Amino acid sequence: MQRLKRILSRNGYVIIKLTKTATNHFELKAKINGVKGRFILDTGASSSCVGLDMIGHFKLEATESKVKAAGAGASSMETQQATKNKVEIGDWKFENFNLVLFDLTHVNTALENHGAKTVEGIIGADILELGEAIIDYKKKRLYLKRLIFKY
């Protein structure tokens, strides 16, 4: 697997270390608008999300949204949105990124009930697709392709 790391690095991918949680999720560190946070990597989440209680923490400008969120253990949750954010995951960066904001209490309660640390948000399929993600489950690494241009 050392070959995979070398091949992807040569092809413009950055390596992000993943940590396995007590709930068997992968967790990673990221920055939103220059502020560090802990996030769950969720390939099944269509959008990357931040908890409503983190709006001030991540310097987000929240606006109303008509979209309802649904996830494990919850459905039809009210959401807000925050546009034009800078996301940094390791050396991977993207500006002008839109985030979904909703109450992550049910997620963090489940994590705490299983002895895991709480998170500020979720990295979803939108970032994984944008970064042409490759996940190495054995080595606990996420590879994201460095973007050459900004949207």
Side-chain angles (χ1 to χ4, degrees):
M1 271 308 181
Q2 194 63 7
R3 261 173 80 189
L4 176 64
K5 180 179 176 182
R6 194 171 35 246
I7 290 167
L8 292 176
S9 292
R10 274 193 232 140
N11 285 288
Y13 279 82
V14 298
I15 302 164
I16 294 103
K17 179 184 170 192
L18 299 173
T19 305
K20 194 83 143 268
T21 68
T23 57
N24 217 23
H25 289 94
F26 277 132
E27 176 183 284
L28 57 95
K29 306 265 194 274
K31 289 183 185 177
I32 307 289
N33 300 324
V35 180
K36 293 179 185 177
R38 182 182 301 113
F39 295 80
I40 284 179
L41 180 64
D42 186 349
T43 61
S46 57
S47 301
S48 295
C49 313
V50 171
L52 284 169
D53 58 335
M54 294 288 119
I55 291 172
H57 178 76
F58 288 118
K59 306 172 193 170
L60 302 171
E61 292 185 28
T63 59
E64 294 301 316
S65 173
K66 293 180 182 178
V67 175
K68 301 281 186 190
S75 62
S76 297
M77 295 178 288
E78 297 292 327
T79 67
Q80 293 183 32
Q81 62 183 352
T83 59
K84 300 178 183 171
N85 300 287
K86 183 176 182 181
V87 176
E88 299 174 71
I89 306 172
D91 290 333
W92 186 87
K93 297 173 176 76
F94 189 82
E95 294 185 20
N96 202 17
F97 191 80
N98 299 335
L99 292 161
V100 173
L101 311 171
F102 73 101
D103 186 358
L104 289 177
T105 302
H106 69 288
V107 171
N108 282 322
T109 299
L111 290 171
E112 285 179 319
N113 288 342
H114 288 89
K117 294 178 183 177
T118 60
V119 295
E120 285 80 36
I122 296 166
I123 300 298
D126 49 0
I127 286 178
L128 299 176
E129 184 175 7
L130 188 62
E132 299 179 33
I134 297 171
I135 302 170
D136 183 340
Y137 287 89
K138 185 175 183 180
K139 297 281 186 180
K140 298 181 181 98
R141 293 180 185 143
L142 169 66
Y143 296 89
L144 293 174
K145 189 160 190 164
R146 200 180 303 268
L147 298 169
I148 298 170
F149 55 89
K150 296 177 189 174
Y151 288 89

